[in-house]
Amino acid sequence: MFLDRPRARALRVAVLAALAVFTVVLAGASLESLRSSGPTAGRILHHLSLFGAAGVAVVVFLAAATWLAYRYPDWAMPVVVVLAPLRIELPLKTGSSDLLVPLYLILLAVAIAEVVVRDRLRVPRERRTDPVRVALAVMIAVIGVSALWTGHGYVSDPKAFADALVKLFAFYLPFGVLYYVVYRYAVDVRKLSRLLTTFVASGAVLAVIGIVEYPTHLVIVNRAAAAHARALGETFRVNSLFYDPNIFGRFLALVVIVGVALFLAARLREPSVQRTRALRLIAVAVALAAVALVATVSRSSVTGLLLGGIVLEMAWLGRRKGGVVALVTVLVLVAGVAGFTALRPQELPGKVLSVRGLNKVTSGRVYLIQAGGRMFEKHPIAGLGLATFPNAFPYYRGSRTQSLAVRDSHTTVVTVAAEQGLIGLAALTGLLVTFFATTLRKRRFGADRRLYLWQAALVACVLSIFVHSMTYNAFFEDPYMWLFMALASAVVTRILLVDPLAGGVAGDGSRGGDDDAPSAAARPAPPHGAGTVTLH
């Protein structure tokens, strides 16, 4: 997060060398673990030549992706946006894990192109400090340090430390890179528009896949989970190319929020054929995402969508009218949650009258929260350590009769409290306060309603992800949280510093020269009345 410090070339080279060494060590450890992992490992070792060829193919792909990221930097980040949600299941010594392998590869290609080939992570001559990045760095540091005591004296499970390393190196550290490359890319309105449009377009494609799944009951990804749900008599839920319907629902909620913001911003443009075509395309994309969201039957996603929508409503309508619409939104929220509950007949409203019934209605979340409270009470300062909750749950559940089928925490705040204690809660609170306090101040945007609407949508997306994570966790494990935080921070610390009419000058990107572009203060002022941002 701090690799753009002045005169930090030696630090950047050292970090890349350390990552290369870690990759080699991790590959060796993985091979060693496969030798002692049962029949599946035996079959894999029997086809080592095939996997060797696959490794060579990955290297060739990485080299090609690096060249493309260097040659066409303007289009590298839209590819990152498209690949961000795609996961591949990999066998590990501690069990299989769904990792964002495509995202890792393209991020590595972008990092090599920018850090090694260009060495372009220098500080721009004029910029504001990015407090969100500092708060995120503190959060990563707290979480990373907590891995040191994972499984040592707290949980007698040999998987604990291995799970912590997977969590740290597969999510937090790569997403730190994701934050910065996105932040560095979003230097003008044109590039911001490109990323948001790409996000909505990819969401429409994934929504179409989900819509096709619903009548056909065709499951492309994670068929085992779908078969298990069908065996239990649960309502069929679509997941498109995601591993979980709830995460797919969260993604669709974000698509709707961003799509509505693009639609409202497009309405502010002068009437033209291009404006009409853009409005129609955006409306179709939002409609597809909304239909697919209903097919996910995800109540938490609807909750996140409507609460995020309140932020967008307030930005569009103002406080007075927005407050009235917000009240209507809350009523719709209550009706929507009640309707989704009715679609899942095994969850009857009468069950909420007891703790056991409420736990069943919430799919085990009540017992998980209670267990997390016991973990925090036992280790309040520094917690149990990173990724300890699933391994520690059997030791902290209320009684031995409680099921172990669901043992992953589904509430981000509870997870942080149990695993990092008061230190982690302080870091999380600092991050949220810093983000929301610095990214949505209307006076910074002046009369530019379009950019303000986009910024409101970015903040609403982060709020929606956080609200969703209170019932389904995966706040820091969601790449789109880091992406939208980076874009929102870039708007107030980079884009607003650039003369809007010179958006293509300050970071045209064909040679990665946005960091060397003159600042707004160094360029002559635009003609009188020419200060309106034109969105293409």
Side-chain angles (χ1 to χ4, degrees), residues 5-322:
R5 298 293 96 186
R7 298 181 295 278
R9 179 177 175 83
L11 175 61
R12 295 195 287 271
V13 173
V15 169
L16 285 177
L19 288 175
V21 172
F22 171 77
T23 301
V24 173
V25 172
L26 182 61
S30 300
L31 183 60
E32 179 63 26
S33 67
L34 284 174
R35 290 196 176 100
S36 58
S37 298
T40 301
R43 289 193 296 269
I44 293 176
L45 291 174
H46 185 67
H47 297 89
L48 275 183
S49 59
L50 179 61
F51 281 89
V56 173
V58 168
V59 172
V60 173
F61 170 80
L62 184 60
T66 301
W67 180 83
L68 290 173
Y70 172 75
R71 182 64 181 82
Y72 305 102
D74 273 359
W75 295 100
M77 296 316 300
V79 173
V80 170
V81 172
V82 173
L83 296 180
L86 304 182
R87 295 176 178 246
I88 296 178
E89 185 176 2
L90 295 179
L92 302 175
K93 188 172 183 179
T94 58
S96 62
S97 183
D98 302 324
L99 302 180
L100 300 159
V101 176
L103 178 62
Y104 303 152
L105 291 176
I106 192 64
L107 278 180
L108 183 57
V110 172
I112 293 174
E114 297 297 326
V115 179
V116 178
V117 180
R118 284 203 187 97
D119 188 28
R120 299 297 294 176
L121 294 187
R122 297 194 300 273
V123 181
R125 286 197 293 266
E126 295 290 340
R127 69 160 194 173
R128 290 194 184 105
T129 302
D130 180 12
V132 177
R133 182 158 55 120
V134 175
L136 273 173
V138 171
M139 191 74 218
I140 293 175
V142 170
I143 289 172
V145 170
S146 73
L148 296 177
W149 56 80
T150 294
H152 294 282
Y154 295 102
V155 181
S156 57
D157 194 312
K159 292 177 52 181
F161 188 65
D163 289 344
L165 289 181
V166 170
K167 205 76 172 278
L168 182 63
F169 286 98
F171 295 100
Y172 293 96
L173 296 184
F175 290 169
V177 176
L178 172 65
Y179 178 94
Y180 187 69
V181 296
V182 172
Y183 173 83
R184 181 184 176 278
Y185 175 87
V187 71
D188 56 46
V189 173
R190 177 176 55 84
K191 292 185 176 181
L192 175 62
S193 172
R194 180 179 296 148
L195 291 184
L196 296 181
T197 303
T198 301
F199 176 72
V200 173
S202 64
V205 173
L206 294 173
V208 169
I209 297 175
I211 293 172
V212 171
E213 283 183 333
Y214 189 76
T216 62
H217 285 202
L218 173 66
V219 179
I220 302 174
V221 179
N222 202 6
R223 295 182 179 180
H228 178 69
R230 187 163 53 249
L232 295 177
E234 296 182 357
T235 303
F236 179 77
R237 306 169 67 192
V238 303
N239 64 336
S240 187
L241 299 184
F242 288 72
Y243 267 80
D244 189 281
N246 286 295
I247 298 300
F248 181 44
R250 173 195 291 189
F251 170 79
L252 293 171
L254 303 180
V255 172
V256 171
I257 292 173
V258 175
V260 170
L262 292 177
F263 184 88
L264 295 176
R267 289 186 59 192
L268 298 175
R269 295 167 55 182
E270 292 295 329
S272 64
V273 176
Q274 292 81 3
R275 173 181 178 269
T276 302
R277 183 185 301 117
L279 288 173
R280 290 175 180 174
L281 291 176
I282 295 171
V284 170
V286 171
L288 290 173
V291 172
L293 176 58
V294 173
T296 65
V297 197
S298 174
R299 294 165 296 182
S300 52
S301 299
V302 173
T303 303
L305 168 62
L306 294 180
L307 292 180
I310 289 176
V311 175
L312 198 57
E313 291 165 0
M314 299 292 286
W316 173 251
L317 299 174
R319 294 183 179 179
R320 184 172 301 176
K321 293 181 179 179

